[in-house]
């Protein structure tokens, strides 16, 4: 069983590459109300998520905390974090959550993929993006072999101590205001942003998106998936480009 969240398709691509035929796959933002899962003796449990400010996305963390996991024999468990630089202390968060459920985290991995948080970077260099994705695919193939062999251990090179991660996460929570989102006249009222916001922070009013919650994940899915590039987060994302994983095909319903 694989549990994941993906904003722009990076983590979803990893899921597609490592999933076994017929394996149960749970998308956190599509199955928000799921509260209980049952693992059979031969099942594995994989958790995959991007790094948000050095930690798990809030929706993934809360989903896992509230999820009842039923099992007779301890399954093989692993975490794969996708990131532009570092997964921070995400694996530590997953480990702590599983321990409270009577489980151990057997293996942890990180995969560097294109950085989509364009408040601090940009995605305009398409050749660089392609190189990063090519290197990521190679890393995914290696991780898949390790998973198939049931390896144990922490294979994440760059991590952040928990106390530093907590400081970063605390600051990030105050930073995630939706007040700076703005929509230009390029908006065609397609409703993609509202339909696919992972935390339902956007509603369509008079044909235009309106942010109806004070804060969100700040995953920037709405910016990257807008077909006319009509959404920005103040001046900080203007001219920074848009990115969706090549396998994404701008079809958010499959993310």
């Amino acid at each position: 069983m694989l549990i994941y969240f993906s904003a722009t398709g990076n983590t979803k691509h990893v899921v597609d590459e490592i999933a076994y035929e017929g394996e149960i796959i749970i998308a956190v933002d599509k199955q928000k109300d799921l509260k209980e899962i049952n693992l059979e003796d031969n099942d594995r449990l994989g958790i995959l998520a991007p790094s948000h400010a050095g930690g798990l996305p809030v929706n993934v963390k809360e989903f896992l905390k509230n999820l009842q996991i039923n099992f007779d024999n301890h399954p093989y468990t692993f975490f794969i974090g996708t990131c532009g630089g570092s997964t921070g202390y995400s694996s530590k968060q997953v480990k702590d959550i599983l321990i409270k459920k009577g489980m151990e985290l057997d293996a942890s991995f990180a995969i560097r993929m294109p950085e989509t948080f364009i408040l601090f970077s940009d995605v305009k260099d398409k050749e660089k993006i392609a190189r990063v994705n090519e290197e990521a695919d190679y890393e995914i193939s290696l991780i898949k072999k390790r998973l198939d062999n049931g390896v144990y251990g922490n294979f994440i090179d760059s991590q952040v101590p928990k106390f530093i991660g907590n400081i970063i996460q605390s600051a990030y929570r105050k930073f995630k205001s939706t007040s700076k989102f703005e929509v230009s006249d390029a908006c065609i009222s397609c409703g993609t942003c509202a339909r696919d916001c992972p935390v339902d922070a956007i509603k369509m009013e008079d044909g235009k998106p309106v942010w109806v919650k004070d804060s969100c994940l700040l995953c920037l899915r709405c910016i990257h998936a807008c077909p006319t590039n009509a959404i920005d987060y103040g001046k900080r994302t203007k001219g920074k480009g848009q990115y969706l994983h090549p396998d994404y095909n701008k079809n958010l319903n499959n993310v």
Side-chain angles (χ1 to χ4, degrees), residues 78-186:
F78 63 91
F79 168 71
I80 300 178
T82 58
C83 59
S86 168
T87 57
Y89 77 129
S90 298
S91 64
K92 174 62 175 173
Q93 288 179 302
V94 172
K95 182 178 180 179
D96 288 347
I97 291 171
L98 291 182
I99 285 175
K100 291 180 178 180
K101 299 179 185 297
M103 307 178 75
E104 293 289 337
L105 180 61
D106 296 320
S108 298
F109 307 90
I111 302 172
R112 183 174 177 268
M113 301 188 79
E115 174 60 72
T116 62
F117 194 67
I118 56 173
L119 272 69
F120 300 144
S121 62
D122 67 67
V123 287
K124 295 186 293 184
D125 189 337
K126 300 306 179 185
E127 290 185 2
K128 177 182 177 181
I129 293 292
R131 287 197 303 273
V132 173
N133 273 324
E134 183 177 356
E135 292 168 0
D137 281 342
Y138 175 71
E139 189 64 26
I140 293 169
S141 68
L142 295 180
I143 290 174
K144 186 178 187 305
K145 290 178 181 179
R146 285 174 166 171
L147 293 175
D148 290 345
N149 290 325
V151 300
Y152 287 75
N154 185 343
F155 299 91
I156 300 177
D157 294 329
S158 176
Q159 292 182 287
V160 171
K162 185 176 180 179
F163 78 96
I164 294 179
N166 284 333
I167 293 172
I168 297 172
Q169 289 275 291
S170 179
Y172 186 59
R173 282 194 292 272
K174 299 175 182 178
F175 186 67
K176 295 187 295 181
S177 169
T178 60
S179 62
K180 293 184 180 180
F181 280 108
E182 54 188 44
V183 183
S184 74
D185 292 338

Side-chain angles (χ1 to χ4, degrees), residues 36-83:
E36 184 177 1
I37 59 173
N38 298 305
L39 297 173
E40 303 299 330
D41 287 348
N42 294 324
D43 284 344
R44 62 178 183 172
L45 178 62
I47 297 165
L48 300 90
S51 172
H52 281 194
L56 290 174
V58 173
N59 62 334
V60 175
K61 183 168 62 176
E62 294 305 314
F63 181 88
L64 294 176
K65 283 183 176 180
N66 296 325
L67 184 66
Q68 180 176 327
I69 304 175
N70 302 318
F71 59 94
D72 292 324
N73 296 309
H74 192 286
Y76 176 65
T77 61
F78 63 91
F79 168 71
I80 300 178
T82 58
C83 59

